Each structure stands twice: as C-alpha cells, then as structure tokens.
Amino acid sequence: MKKVILIIIDAMASRVVQPALEKGLLPHFQQLVERGVFSRECTSIFPSITPAATCALATGAYPFEHGISGAYWYDRDQDDIAYFGSDLPAIMNEGMDRYINDFQIKLNIDRLQVPTIFERIEQHGSLTDAVVNFMWYRGTVAHETSTPLLLKLTPGVTLAESMIGPHTMFLGEFVSTPLYGNTLSARGGITRRFGFHDDTTADYLLGMAEQDCLPDFTLAYFPNNDFDSHSEGPENAITTLQNVDSHLGKLIEILGGIDQFLEKHTILMTGDHSQSDLEENPGIHLDEVLKEFQVVDAGNPWNTSEELMVCPNMRSAQIYMQPELWENRKAVIDCLLNCPEIDQVMWCDHDSGLNGTDQPAFYVHTQDWGHLVFKPAPDSTGDAHDVYGTSWIWNGDLNAVDASITADHQIKFGDYPNAFERIATGFSEKTGNIWVTARLGKEFCLPSMKCNPAGSHGSLHELDSTAPLIAAGLPDDFELPDALRIIDITPICLQLLGLETPRQPGESAINNPQNSQKS
C-alpha cells in the first residue's frame, strides 16, 4: 500500500489553476496532472467558507452532520457565539482568551460532532498519520503545547498544556512533534501568523521527508492563497500558488524524483472553496437593510430587547430570530428581498404540500428569478434526480437556483452547482433561521466589521465554490467519482489506505447521512 499525502490549498480556484497550468506557470502541478488526474470541479459545501469547508474535507461530512455552521454562528443550546473570523471588534466582544481557546481546543473537542479522518485511521493500530498546520486535527495522541512569546505577554490569554491530535502533529509555533528525538525548525513569528503560514507548512513537510518520517497518511495545509486572494484578487494571487508549486518540487526531489515519488506515494491536491472578485465598494450593510429591527452587535450575546442576531460569513450570512419574530418572518424576508444586492433568501420549514409528508422543506426566494420550495423525495419517487442519485420534488421556479431538467429527468445546475444538496445539508440546529447570499461583487458586513478588498467567498455561486482536484499515483484500478465534492476527499483517502469509509465517494449525502455515526 502506498503512503497518501493530501495537500489542501485554501481557496484554490479552478478558474485560476487551469489557465496557469496551460501557461506553464505551475510546472510541478503539471507533472502530477500528466501522470494522474485533473478534475476541474470539486464542489464545496454551503456555506463555502473556510472553517465549515475545511471541516468537510477532514471528515467527509456536511455542516448538518459535522456541526460547524460557517465561520460565525450562534449556538442556541449553549447561548454561545462561535466566531472564527479576523475582525478585531467581534473578537474583543467575544473575548481574546475565549477566541484563542475556542480555536485551540473547543473547536475540535466540543463543537465538532463527527470523527475526523485521523480518528478513523487511528482505529487501526497499524497505520500512522500526521497533520501540518490544519485547523481540524482531532486524534488520539496527546501533544505538549508551547506558547509564542507575544501571546505570553497578552493579558488574560492562557493556552491549554496539551492538544489531542494524530501521531505526528505540527501546528504553527504551538505544537511540534519531535522526530527521532529532534524538533524540526520552521519559520514563524508574528509576520508569519505564529507559524500558520505556507513557509512553515513547507518547512515541516520537507523536514519530515528529509528525515524519512512521512507516515501512512499526511495532511498538509497551505493557507496563504486565501489571504492573498482576499487582498489582491484570486487571479492576482498566482505567485502564491507558484510558491506552493516550488515547495512541491522540493518534496518530489527529496523523495527521489517524480517516478520514484509516485511509485511509493499517492498525492491529492485540492482546495476547500474558491473565490470570486469583489467590487470597489462591496459591503452590504445588514444593519441598514434590517434597520426596522433591533440587531445584536457583532460578537455580543443576546439581550432581552434585541430581535435579530446577524452573523455575516463573507458572501453569505445567517440570521437568527427570536421565536416571536420567526412566527412573523415575512417582514424580515421582505426587507431582505428589497435589497437589490442580495441574491437568495433561504430558510427551512416543515411543508406537507409537496408530497403530503410533514418533513423539512427548503425555501429559496429571489428578487428576480422567482421562488422555490423543494425537498428530497422518499423512495426515489421525485420529479427528478441529481448526479448523486438523490430524488427531489419541488414547487416553484427552478431559476431561483439556476437549475433545469434533462431529457432523462436529471437535475442540471448552472451558476449554483449541486444547489439542492448543498442547501439541504447547510441547515441544522446550529444555523440561523434564514441564510442569505450576496450577488457577485458583494459581501455582507455589520458596523465595525471590515469587508475584504478584492476577493471573497461563502455563497452558493460557482465562483465561490469550485476547486480543482489533482491526483497522481492512484492505483490502476482506482476510479474517482465523475462529480466530485469536497466531502468525497476523506472517503477517497480512506479507500486508498484500505479502510472502511463513512459513505462511498460520490454517494448521496441525503439518503445516507452520517448522523448515526457521530462521535
């Protein structure tokens, strides 16, 4: 059995990578493509935003299963704000100590509701695994932590003494597993986000290769492309991808050249989402759109006078309502639809009008493309099926999700790939009563929350949601699904390792939910 290396490049977009390959700008990526597979469409989840999407990559689960509802959400059961963005006012409202400890411990231990790929691998004692700079790391091995000097000097900030991860674990300047008794050196410091940086990831990955310490499965995460795409625009961040390509070339060279590398390793490279371009003034100020209602300040808890809590997730946002307001939700929906910069308004409610069954249905209302209500059909009795075999029924205008029906009764999606499954799996007890998405070029914000200057993501749109998959060194008899999703990556890796999978790659996420397999 070959060793498996999974490289995740945040916000790697097919519309950037494919032309760069054609121009010869990514020669080591191209080496893998020539000896393997290039799939242009590996579809993200909804919301197409980093914490939820990277969690889907690390678990094979959708948000309704793994419990991570974006980058900013409200946990009703715990009366608790979960915030993983970078806006300082929201961080300070939550509290710096809580923010850091939520990232360090609570996110993986308490908030995550399904097993990670590391936990599944570690159920089999003969296999080893490693994580490099990835925010989802929960495993079975305790690792001692260290605290960067600046954080030691920050009042009120204390870090846990240990973290539970895979056999080998590198998380910036916080965790570094000794190899053969030696601690690897890697570039860090505040200019490299305390080690959560491409240079650090490369240093650790190359260090493992040089010491012949790559385990059976390695997940390495390169975050810079997301930061640079936000600040410069996705197409202008190509130099960041070229730097990753250079790191990849060094890895291949250390491991004996491309032929020997692929003889002993299977490598997969993908992203968690992509990014679309923003206009010069992209902000949709939801406090102004909803000015007739009392809205909670960003990062603050509810109090008795407030009617709405709005949690922007870049180009999507979730809106929580007090129960009495939800009963009269039409006023809120009308305010949202009156904003020309909002694309879709979506919610989940029970509906017996479609097929007489009182099961959840999903509503999509738009200003220009009509209204739609849909839900999965029991026993394959629906109006049409998607590429994963799920049957669906609906009333209304399919233009609301840019869908059409083929001659063989298959649903074909345009600008919003796999929209039915992604919407249906994006709602859970953790999500807001309403999700809204922004039109291209726009991003949601609240007072004191900044908008990104050039690129963004989070919506259902193809430009936010389509990453490539490059795979090489696959066994001759191994077949990838025709319609790839990021939730298929964990099952693919487990299959390559000869392990059981929570669901088969390419299988419906509606008919075979992981809810029964939660940790």
Side-chain angles (χ1 to χ4, degrees):
M1 182 186 71
K2 295 183 180 183
K3 295 181 178 182
V4 176
I5 300 172
L6 172 59
I7 292 178
I8 297 172
I9 302 172
D10 203 314
M12 184 165 69
S14 298
R15 71 182 179 102
V16 176
V17 170
Q18 189 167 10
L21 289 171
E22 293 168 356
K23 294 175 183 177
L25 299 177
L26 302 170
H28 300 103
F29 285 27
Q30 184 63 35
Q31 275 190 306
L32 299 180
V33 171
E34 289 171 353
R35 290 164 173 79
V37 176
F38 176 81
S39 175
R40 192 181 187 281
E41 296 185 6
C42 189
T43 305
S44 189
I45 61 160
F46 176 76
S48 52
I49 200 150
T50 296
T54 52
C55 190
L57 281 164
T59 63
Y62 270 118
F64 84 114
E65 300 164 320
H66 62 51
I68 307 304
S69 183
Y72 182 11
W73 75 94
Y74 173 64
D75 188 326
R76 297 177 189 272
D77 293 337
Q78 302 296 323
D79 189 24
D80 180 32
I81 300 293
Y83 181 74
F84 302 100
S86 58
D87 286 284
L88 188 59
I91 293 170
M92 298 311 295
N93 283 338
E94 183 184 13
M96 181 64 77
D97 188 54
R98 277 191 60 198
Y99 177 79
I100 290 177
N101 279 279
D102 208 351
F103 252 121
Q104 186 194 15
I105 299 295
K106 189 174 181 180
L107 186 62
N108 275 266
I109 303 305
D110 298 331
R111 298 197 188 279
L112 179 59
Q113 297 176 3
V114 296
T116 66
I117 187 171
F118 307 111
E119 290 174 293
R120 295 189 186 278
I121 289 170
E122 289 155 29
Q123 291 174 358
H124 303 266
S126 61
L127 296 179
T128 56
D129 52 2
V131 66
V132 185
N133 269 355
F134 198 53
M135 68 189 298
W136 303 103
Y137 56 78
R138 192 173 70 195
T140 61
V141 180
H143 297 267
E144 183 180 350
T145 63
S146 59
T147 304
L149 177 61
L150 183 60
L151 291 182
K152 286 181 180 179
L153 300 176
T154 303
V157 174
T158 56
L159 273 70
E161 294 181 357
S162 65
M163 298 166 71
I164 305 297
H167 296 98
T168 302
M169 184 169 171
F170 300 102
L171 289 183
E173 296 181 10
F174 296 88
V175 178
S176 179
T177 303
L179 303 177
Y180 299 132
N182 300 315
T183 300
L184 293 181
S185 61
R187 289 165 285 183
I190 191 169
T191 59
R192 291 185 175 85
R193 299 185 294 273
F194 299 111
F196 292 102
H197 188 280
D198 284 7
D199 288 347
T200 317
T201 298
D203 289 345
Y204 284 135
L205 183 60
L206 297 177
M208 283 195 291
E210 287 169 346
Q211 297 199 30
D212 194 24
C213 286
L214 286 173
D216 297 299
F217 175 75
T218 302
L219 192 163
Y221 174 64
F222 290 85
N224 286 25
N225 184 62
D226 188 56
F227 291 101
D228 295 340
S229 295
H230 281 308
S231 62
E232 303 169 17
E235 293 177 285
N236 294 328
I238 186 63
T239 55
T240 307
L241 293 178
Q242 289 179 293
N243 288 335
V244 178
D245 182 86
S246 177
H247 297 317
L248 177 63
K250 293 175 184 177
L251 178 68
I252 293 170
E253 181 181 358
I254 291 169
L255 295 173
I258 188 67
D259 294 329
Q260 187 172 329
F261 172 66
L262 294 180
E263 185 178 324
K264 297 181 179 180
H265 301 84
T266 298
I267 183 168
L268 299 98
M269 298 174 51
T270 192
D272 54 338
H273 53 73
S274 48
Q275 284 200 27
S276 54
D277 298 310
L278 291 176
E279 297 175 0
E280 186 173 346
N281 296 302
I284 303 174
H285 297 274
L286 284 170
D287 57 310
E288 297 176 7
V289 175
L290 298 167
K291 61 185 177 183
E292 64 185 78
F293 304 97
Q294 294 294 316
V295 179
V296 180
D297 289 338
N300 277 350
W302 288 97
N303 67 42
T304 54
S305 65
E306 292 156 339
E307 300 169 290
L308 299 176
M309 178 180 286
V310 177
C311 297
N313 283 260
M314 297 190 190
R315 290 189 12 83
S316 62
Q318 43 193 327
I319 299 169
Y320 297 83
M321 301 185 192
Q322 296 286 16
E324 60 273 16
L325 186 59
W326 175 243
E327 295 301 318
N328 299 289
R329 57 188 175 271
K330 186 177 184 300
V332 176
I333 293 167
D334 286 346
C335 280
L336 295 168
L337 288 174
N338 284 335
C339 174
E341 298 163 329
I342 286 178
D343 197 2
Q344 294 142 328
V345 180
M346 298 174 286
W347 67 95
C348 175
D349 203 0
H350 286 268
D351 179 271
S352 59
L354 288 177
N355 61 354
T357 62
D358 190 29
Q359 61 186 156
F362 303 94
Y363 295 74
V364 183
H365 283 204
T366 70
Q367 188 179 77
D368 299 326
W369 302 294
H371 299 170
L372 176 70
V373 55
F374 68 94
K375 60 182 168 182
D379 305 321
S380 301
T381 58
D383 300 328
H385 60 276
D386 62 25
V387 295
Y388 308 107
T390 306
S391 292
W392 300 91
I393 51 177
W394 63 86
N395 279 330
D397 195 337
L398 287 174
N399 286 323
V401 292
D402 194 25
S404 58
I405 308 302
T406 66
D408 59 352
H409 300 286
Q410 182 170 302
I411 306 169
K412 181 180 179 182
F413 295 99
D415 285 341
Y416 310 103
N418 197 24
F420 277 2
E421 183 176 89
R422 294 169 69 204
I423 293 168
T425 56
F427 279 92
S428 70
E429 296 85 356
K430 298 287 191 296
T431 51
N433 301 94
I434 290 175
W435 274 105
V436 291
T437 60
R439 296 203 179 185
L440 285 177
K442 296 296 181 181
E443 186 178 81
F444 293 109
C445 60
L446 288 173
S448 76
M449 293 186 74
K450 70 180 189 306
C451 281
N452 287 294
S456 190
H457 52 95
S459 80
L460 285 163
H461 200 280
E462 176 188 16
L463 294 180
D464 290 6
S465 309
T466 306
L469 175 70
I470 297 172
L474 294 167
D476 291 340
D477 59 350
F478 194 91
E479 293 187 9
L480 294 171
D482 291 333
L484 280 162
R485 304 159 295 182
I486 65 171
I487 66 159
D488 294 319
I489 299 302
T490 277
I492 288 168
C493 291
L494 291 173
Q495 284 186 341
L496 291 167
L497 293 166
L499 302 180
E500 292 184 4
T501 64
R503 68 165 60 91
Q504 295 301 306
E507 186 176 48
S508 169
I510 301 296
N511 296 332
N512 181 29
Q514 285 191 2
N515 289 350
S516 61
Q517 303 181 48
K518 289 183 179 179
S519 57

